Amino acid sequence: MQEETKVIRIIGRIASVMSVLMYVSYIPQIISNLNGNYGDPIQPLVAGINCTVWTIYGYFKLERDWPIIAANVPGVFLGFFTFYTALH
């Protein structure tokens, strides 16, 4: 049981890092948007909303779920900022 908990913790950390990297990958689209090569705004808008809901969920659980919060906060900012810059 102890080993399973350790493995799950490691998987959770890896998933959190991958989630942050996924939202950091919006930066090239933001740069393109700012240079006039606008991308589709729908996907980053939905991602921003999704990350907002997950962040609220993680924060308001009885025991705060910091990995969920940390994994989704970048998506809140980068998703909505990508959406905003994609509007032309």
Side-chain angles (χ1 to χ4, degrees):
M1 189 72 167
Q2 177 93 1
E3 187 64 31
E4 181 179 325
T5 303
K6 183 178 179 182
V7 170
I8 294 298
R9 236 180 300 138
I10 291 169
I11 290 171
R13 287 182 181 142
I14 291 170
S16 293
V17 169
M18 294 305 297
S19 182
V20 170
L21 292 174
M22 179 174 59
Y23 296 116
V24 167
S25 71
Y26 277 136
I27 292 173
Q29 184 179 347
I30 292 169
I31 293 169
S32 291
N33 292 340
L34 293 173
N35 288 327
N37 301 316
Y38 302 104
D40 184 23
I42 300 301
Q43 197 279 335
L45 173 63
V46 173
I49 293 167
N50 180 55
C51 290
T52 300
V53 172
W54 275 111
T55 301
I56 292 167
Y57 168 80
Y59 186 81
F60 287 104
K61 282 179 64 177
L62 288 178
E63 187 175 325
R64 288 196 175 128
D65 197 330
W66 292 109
I68 286 178
I69 295 168
N72 285 284
V73 166
V76 172
F77 293 104
L78 291 170
F80 285 126
F81 191 64
T82 304
F83 167 75
Y84 176 76
T85 61
L87 300 176
H88 37 94

